[in-house]
């Protein structure tokens, strides 16, 4: 196992530890969003950042070409947005729901392996920026999906009158519905910027990556309009955010093998 893979393994174990710590605290009734959870998430993020840096040194460019590298970059972006968005949207327990997805994505990356890249000429900064912004947009859609899951979990607990430790730590259900909309709009804005950059690059319209990016953009544009016009209930909004993320997630496999 290489040094970069050790870093990623350590990051994954840290996020798994964050989940275990939170679940044990919730089970004991002593849960509180405090330093332990934040420190584990911060340590995991630092290890992720170290992996991306040293992996970039290995391949001589920003590591966003292979499926495994893309999964790690999106996982890193999800944690970055967690720190930027979680407190702004007052989404307590977001880390508990974020860490499992990040862990799964990084385990998939480790299983897939990290092959060296083919030799490449001069790096185009716009190409790298386009790819990075698009993947961060996907991370925003992933957080919208996670927030949708939080909404559905809280709604289910309310219907079943399961008022316990987890319920009291979840944000108000109306706040979750609002956060889903804002995250979808954030992702749509970032993806729009990425697609705008593609025009400056004169990318062929038949490029598979560009085609699927436009399909994802169209999907979330429709979802955003439905939310904005209140054509969907908060529950359906949550389901749209959860199910909608299936397309960009699957498209990663398609575009990396096209």
């Amino acid at each position: 196992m290489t040094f970069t893979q050790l870093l990623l393994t350590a990051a994954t174990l840290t996020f798994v530890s964050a989940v275990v710590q939170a679940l044990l605290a919730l089970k004991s009734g002593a849960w509180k969003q405090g330093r332990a959870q934040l420190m584990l998430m911060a340590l995991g993020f630092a290890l992720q950042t170290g992996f991306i840096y040293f992996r970039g040194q290995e391949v001589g460019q920003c590591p966003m070409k292979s499926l495994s590298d893309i999964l790690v970059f999106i996982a890193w972006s999800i944690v970055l947005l967690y720190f930027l968005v979680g407190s702004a949207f007052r989404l307590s327990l977001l880390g508990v729901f974020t860490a499992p997805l990040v862990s799964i994505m990084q385990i998939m990356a480790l299983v897939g392996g990290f092959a060296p890249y083919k030799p490449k000429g001069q790096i185009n900064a716009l190409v790298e920026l386009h790819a990075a912004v698009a993947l961060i947009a996907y991370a925003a859609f992933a957080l919208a999906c996670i927030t949708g899951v939080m909404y559905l979990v809280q709604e289910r607990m309310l219907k079943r009158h399961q008022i316990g430790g987890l319920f009291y730590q979840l944000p108000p259900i109306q706040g979750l519905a609002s956060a889903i909309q804002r995250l979808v709009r954030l992702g749509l804005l970032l993806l729009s910027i990425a697609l705008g950059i593609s025009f400056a690059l004169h990318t062929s319209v038949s490029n598979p990556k560009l085609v699927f990016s436009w399909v994802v953009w169209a999907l979330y544009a429709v979802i955003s309009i439905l939310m904005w016009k209140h054509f969907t209930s908060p529950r359906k909004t949550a389901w749209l955010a959860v199910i909608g993320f299936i397309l960009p997630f699957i498209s990663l496999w398609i575009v990396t093998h096209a």
Side-chain angles (χ1 to χ4, degrees):
M1 185 177 287
T2 65
F3 176 66
T4 52
Q5 290 173 323
L6 283 173
L7 281 174
L8 186 61
T9 301
T12 305
L13 291 175
T14 302
F15 289 123
V16 171
S17 299
V19 177
V20 172
Q21 181 269 337
L23 291 178
L24 290 176
L26 285 168
K27 186 176 181 180
S28 67
W31 165 261
K32 186 177 180 181
Q33 182 82 5
R35 291 183 179 179
Q37 183 72 15
L38 289 174
M39 285 179 66
L40 285 171
M41 293 296 290
L43 176 59
F45 180 73
L47 291 167
Q48 282 180 315
T49 305
F51 167 84
I52 290 174
Y53 173 79
F54 288 108
R55 176 64 176 161
Q57 295 297 308
E58 285 181 1
V59 298
Q61 57 185 287
C62 188
M64 298 182 294
K65 303 302 180 187
S66 70
L67 178 58
S68 293
D69 285 318
I70 288 173
L71 286 172
V72 175
F73 192 89
I74 293 177
W76 175 83
S77 301
I78 289 172
V79 181
L80 174 63
L81 289 178
Y82 155 72
F83 283 113
L84 296 177
V85 170
S87 58
F89 289 0
R90 298 180 182 179
L91 297 179
S92 56
L93 277 187
L94 181 59
V96 179
F97 285 79
T98 298
L101 176 60
V102 169
S103 300
I104 291 170
M105 293 176 74
Q106 293 186 172
I107 289 171
M108 291 170 64
L110 286 165
V111 171
F114 298 90
Y117 288 4
K118 294 179 181 179
K120 184 177 180 180
Q122 186 176 0
I123 296 174
N124 188 327
L126 273 181
V127 173
E128 303 297 318
L129 179 62
H130 161 76
V133 174
L135 293 181
I136 295 173
Y138 280 25
F141 295 143
L143 271 187
C145 170
I146 293 169
T147 310
V149 171
M150 292 172 67
Y151 180 99
L152 295 171
V153 167
Q154 188 174 31
E155 184 193 50
R156 186 177 182 85
M157 294 176 73
L158 282 170
K159 286 183 176 180
R160 295 193 173 191
H161 303 288
Q162 296 174 334
I163 311 301
L166 175 63
F167 177 85
Y168 287 120
Q169 296 302 323
L170 286 167
I173 199 164
Q174 297 87 350
L176 287 171
S178 175
I180 292 169
Q181 296 181 40
R182 293 165 69 181
L183 285 166
V184 167
R185 290 169 188 161
L186 173 62
L188 189 60
L189 172 63
L190 290 170
L191 189 54
S192 298
I193 293 171
L195 290 172
I197 295 172
S198 71
F199 286 113
L201 295 170
H202 304 291
T203 307
S204 172
V205 293
S206 61
N207 184 297
K209 294 182 180 180
L210 191 58
V211 170
F212 275 97
S213 292
W214 277 111
V215 171
V216 171
W217 183 91
L219 170 67
Y220 277 96
V222 171
I223 292 175
S224 182
I225 291 171
L226 291 174
M227 294 175 177
W228 176 47
K229 292 293 185 179
H230 303 290
F231 289 145
T232 58
S233 65
R235 183 174 183 273
K236 289 182 179 178
T237 294
W239 274 114
L240 282 173
V242 173
I243 297 173
F245 185 61
I246 294 174
L247 177 61
F249 197 72
I250 292 177
S251 72
L252 295 174
W253 272 266
I254 299 172
V255 299
T256 52
H257 292 88

